[in-house]
Amino acid sequence: MQTIYWILIFLGVFCTMEFMAWFTHKYVMHGFLWSLHKDHHHKDHDSWFERNDAFFIFYAVVSMTCFYLWSYENVWYCLPIALGIMAYGATYFVVHDIFIHQRFKLFRNANNWYAKGVRRAHKIHHKHLGKDKGECFGMLFVPFKYFKK
């Protein structure tokens, strides 16, 4: 019986992370921590790394804390929570950094309806160089209008 709970927690956390990414992007990155995020919209340096890359640290620490609680404190449900956060982080890296922004030259020829919609929504988001007037703050789930031709 614990297996079904494990799977449900993992999937629930993974899906909740999309909301957390949207919320963090809209209210933190485009809010009081714009100073860390603005180089993602308007590159003002020659480094491959961006100040924006620091945002992954928060969720990595939450995930590592859950791994610790599972491993050393025997809190079983912390393992699917940790893995759900980690899986979303890996997905975010692949979709956002590799697929959309081409920080590594992979998936360049992905051309299906979902790929086109996600790219289109992200391009609209980056149309605004400032922190205001932004739209499309999510990553995996974007409004349906971006999937239309």
Side-chain angles (χ1 to χ4, degrees):
M1 187 63 154
Q2 190 173 353
T3 303
I4 190 69
Y5 292 130
W6 195 98
I7 293 168
L8 289 173
I9 291 169
F10 172 84
L11 293 174
V13 167
F14 184 90
C15 291
T16 300
M17 286 302 297
E18 174 68 7
F19 168 76
M20 292 304 299
W22 172 87
F23 182 88
T24 302
H25 191 182
K26 183 169 184 167
Y27 295 108
V28 176
M29 294 177 178
H30 281 255
F32 65 95
L33 288 180
W34 173 251
S35 60
L36 291 178
H37 185 61
K38 68 181 173 184
D39 71 335
H40 181 64
H41 283 264
H42 183 68
K43 193 168 181 170
D44 60 358
H45 54 80
D46 293 328
S47 175
W48 184 82
F49 291 101
E50 300 173 345
R51 289 180 296 275
N52 182 67
D53 294 334
F55 285 106
F56 90 93
I57 294 170
F58 174 77
Y59 290 111
V61 168
V62 173
S63 183
M64 289 186 294
T65 301
C66 289
F67 276 119
Y68 172 84
L69 291 171
W70 165 73
S71 183
Y72 293 103
E73 303 297 329
N74 203 26
V75 183
W76 73 268
Y77 55 85
C78 283
L79 179 60
I81 292 171
L83 290 172
I85 295 169
M86 186 177 77
Y88 186 85
T91 302
Y92 187 94
F93 179 73
V94 169
V95 172
H96 181 263
D97 290 339
I98 296 177
F99 172 66
I100 293 173
H101 286 289
Q102 290 290 302
R103 286 176 87 173
F104 298 99
K105 305 303 180 200
L106 302 169
F107 308 121
R108 293 179 132 186
N109 298 324
N111 213 15
N112 61 58
W113 69 272
Y114 179 76
K116 287 179 182 178
V118 168
R119 273 192 178 136
R120 193 173 295 127
H122 205 77
K123 187 173 186 174
I124 292 297
H125 176 76
H126 278 269
K127 172 176 82 172
H128 304 286
L129 297 180
K131 75 178 198 173
D132 300 320
K133 299 179 184 175
E135 55 184 295
C136 299
F137 292 95
M139 186 206 35
L140 297 177
F141 305 120
V142 299
F144 287 114
K145 67 181 181 180
Y146 297 105
F147 294 106
K148 296 176 184 174
K149 291 187 177 191

